[in-house]
Amino acid sequence: MSTDADLTGPPRAAPSSRAFRRLLYGSIAVFALLALGLVALNLSQGPRLTSAQLNVQTSVERAGQRLLLESNEVLAPVGDAQISVTPSVGVATTSNQTSIQVEFTSILEYNTTYTVTATGVKSASQNAESTFSYSFTTPDANVAFLVPGSAVSTAEPAPDDRIERASLTGGTTETLYSAPHISRFATMGQKLVVATTDADGYDLLDIITPDGSAAPIPVQLAGPGTVTGLTASAKSNLFGYTYRAAPSPYYPTANEQLYIYDTTLGQAFSIPVTGPDHELLDVTSWFFVPGTTSLVARSPDGSLYLADVLGLLDGSSGTVGVGSADALQGFVPGTKSLVTERGGATFTIDFGTPGTPVTAPFTEASGAAGAGSGAGVSPPVQTQTALPLDASGTVVARSSDATALVKRDASASTTVFTTPDGTPITHFCLSTNGRYAVTSTSAGTTYIPLAGSAEPRTFPGSQPDWCSAG
């Protein structure tokens, strides 16, 4: 009889093998539950905002700027009704794949925090909703003006003239540059173009870096004379000036002539603007075409000329005639349409379309009598000094006695500023974005908001840089 055990059936697993299988099966179950939970969580949560893009500097300069909200997944269409902006601003909304584009239909206010909220944002593949929210703050409005030095007594020399900078939303002023006998200036981003008068009564022109990080760059003038006008186009790194040569007993003095300078070239020569005949062009008024490197100039006989500055600098193009005008009122803010007067009528010349500029009638709004800013009936205006504010015909003009500034649109004629002491407004202009009017009187320079909630501010200076910006 055998004593060996009768082994029938599979061998019994070792204890360690059974534990491993239990651990393996348990881990698979846990991972499966986690995966199911993540799937459920993903189905219950909507898309996420991953980034936002906006040129905040441009948002205070012109309408139509776009905020781009990026999502982590493809989105269902998003419309205007889902977008809100605080403070309130009109928007036009489009969506494309993983982004929402919010276009602001008006220019934004300076130094203001805006919050854009998109509600009910859904993925293209499921119905869970999300809310996107993004906040940004627009830049402050900084302005510069010339403050003349004044002697304490006739026995003491006058202090230097000062170019000062200030914020329109508050704060103190700071001196950017000081020198004796500053006659005019223009701002070029972080630089200044400054004209000063020497001991002989002739002008000097220099490019100044206010923080002292670079030495002044002298601009070579065409001999002794006077800088009669100075305009800068900071975005194009260009400035231009009109110049009148000093009287000479040997030859007749020319009329004012226009010169241009490209600051990207460092120390370079000014280039005279010439006519189609390549002769020096006498000018009575001129403007940079906004957002371009071109300019429009009017000669004494009323002829209008268009020149690409860069083409003149490198010789690749010349000046061309574009009609005539009795006067140039200025460009409609935010456009490339120049308002001109000819034969008692007003026209726009649109330089924003390729080819020959398009001329069209421009009808100034007549307003409505008796609608004033709490001042009763608005005073009559000097229509010949009206500046265009928008394409609908809204204009800003001085009153007939030059002591008030009036905004005239299709529905009203509103007094937006009255000089407090009855002194006349010697000069006024509009900011390039059309949000402010700027007036100069013997009492100083006042910046008057034409839209928004800002308050007017007055500074004891003259020659505001906004009036020399192209």
Side-chain angles (χ1 to χ4, degrees):
M1 183 161 112
S2 171
T3 59
D4 293 335
D6 184 16
L7 301 177
T8 60
R12 301 180 63 185
S16 59
S17 178
R18 289 196 300 274
F20 174 76
R21 282 200 297 272
R22 285 198 299 271
L23 178 61
L24 176 61
Y25 297 150
S27 299
I28 292 173
V30 169
F31 285 128
L33 290 173
L34 287 174
L36 289 174
L38 290 173
V39 170
L41 182 64
N42 186 60
L43 292 175
S44 65
Q45 287 187 342
R48 296 194 308 275
L49 175 65
T50 58
S51 65
Q53 301 177 37
L54 171 68
N55 186 333
V56 291
Q57 179 62 51
T58 308
S59 70
V60 297
E61 296 174 352
R62 54 181 179 267
Q65 300 310 293
R66 298 176 177 88
L67 169 66
L68 193 66
L69 303 174
E70 293 282 358
S71 170
N72 66 325
E73 53 185 301
V74 176
L75 300 176
V78 176
D80 291 346
Q82 296 171 252
I83 304 296
S84 63
V85 184
T86 306
S88 180
V89 178
V91 298
T93 308
T94 56
S95 55
N96 180 27
Q97 295 295 314
T98 60
S99 65
I100 302 171
Q101 181 175 276
V102 180
E103 178 180 322
F104 302 109
T105 57
S106 60
I107 298 171
L108 303 187
E109 291 197 44
Y110 293 106
N111 196 28
T112 301
T113 298
Y114 290 88
T115 299
V116 179
T117 303
T119 58
V121 180
K122 297 180 181 180
S123 165
S125 59
Q126 50 95 4
N127 289 323
E129 296 184 350
S130 292
T131 297
F132 289 2
S133 183
Y134 179 72
S135 297
F136 61 92
T137 301
T138 54
D140 202 353
N142 291 310
V143 296
F145 42 87
L146 178 62
V147 179
S150 57
V152 177
S153 69
T154 57
E156 298 181 9
D160 287 349
D161 299 329
R162 307 184 309 278
I163 299 172
E164 295 194 343
R165 178 172 60 192
S167 163
L168 290 187
T169 59
T172 59
T173 61
E174 62 172 324
T175 298
L176 294 177
Y177 180 72
S178 62
H181 310 300
I182 297 176
S183 59
R184 60 187 71 247
F185 79 99
T187 55
M188 292 280 297
Q190 301 302 312
K191 298 181 184 297
L192 298 170
V193 185
V194 182
T196 56
T197 305
D198 65 16
D200 296 324
Y202 301 129
D203 281 352
L204 306 173
L205 194 59
D206 294 278
I207 302 171
I208 304 295
T209 304
D211 62 8
S213 60
I217 298 175
V219 177
Q220 189 72 38
L221 301 178
T226 303
V227 175
T228 57
L230 181 61
T231 300
S233 176
K235 290 185 177 298
S236 301
N237 299 304
L238 300 167
F239 69 85
Y241 61 90
T242 48
Y243 166 84
R244 182 185 291 275
S248 171
Y250 305 106
Y251 50 84
T253 302
N255 293 320
E256 293 183 358
Q257 294 172 337
L258 177 59
Y259 291 79
I260 52 177
Y261 193 103
D262 185 353
T263 59
T264 63
L265 302 178
Q267 187 165 359
F269 289 102
S270 300
I271 301 296
V273 176
T274 56
D277 57 1
H278 304 292
E279 296 293 330
L280 290 175
L281 184 65
D282 295 340
V283 301
T284 58
S285 57
W286 71 282
F287 292 94
F288 280 114
V289 180
T292 75
T293 59
S294 296
L295 60 84
V296 182
R298 178 184 179 275
S299 67
D301 66 1
S303 299
L304 295 183
Y305 298 98
L306 175 67
D308 175 61
V309 173
L310 299 184
L312 293 179
L313 289 171
D314 62 17
S316 61
S317 63
T319 301
V320 296
V322 288
S324 64
D326 298 329
L328 307 183
Q329 290 188 357
F331 281 89
V332 177
T335 76
K336 294 179 177 61
S337 292
L338 176 65
V339 178
T340 67
E341 296 177 22
R342 187 175 74 247
T346 310
F347 301 88
T348 59
I349 305 177
D350 183 9
F351 294 96
T353 56
T356 303
V358 178
T359 300
F362 179 78
T363 304
E364 293 183 4
S366 59
S373 56
V377 177
S378 295
V381 300
Q382 297 175 326
T383 56
Q384 69 270 22
T385 59
L387 298 182
L389 186 60
D390 61 38
S392 70
T394 302
V395 296
V396 177
R398 282 179 288 196
S399 61
S400 57
D401 63 0
T403 62
L405 205 63
V406 178
K407 175 183 175 183
R408 195 173 62 226
D409 59 23
S411 61
S413 182
T414 307
T415 301
V416 296
F417 175 71
T418 301
T419 58
D421 53 2
T423 56
I425 297 170
T426 56
H427 181 71
F428 79 102
C429 71
L430 302 179
S431 61
T432 54
N433 62 6
R435 295 194 70 91
Y436 278 82
V438 189
T439 64
S440 294
T441 69
S442 59
T445 295
T446 302
Y447 296 82
I448 303 115
L450 300 174
S453 58
E455 294 293 327
R457 292 205 68 187
T458 299
F459 300 96
S462 62
Q463 296 196 31
D465 66 329
W466 279 6
C467 293
S468 61

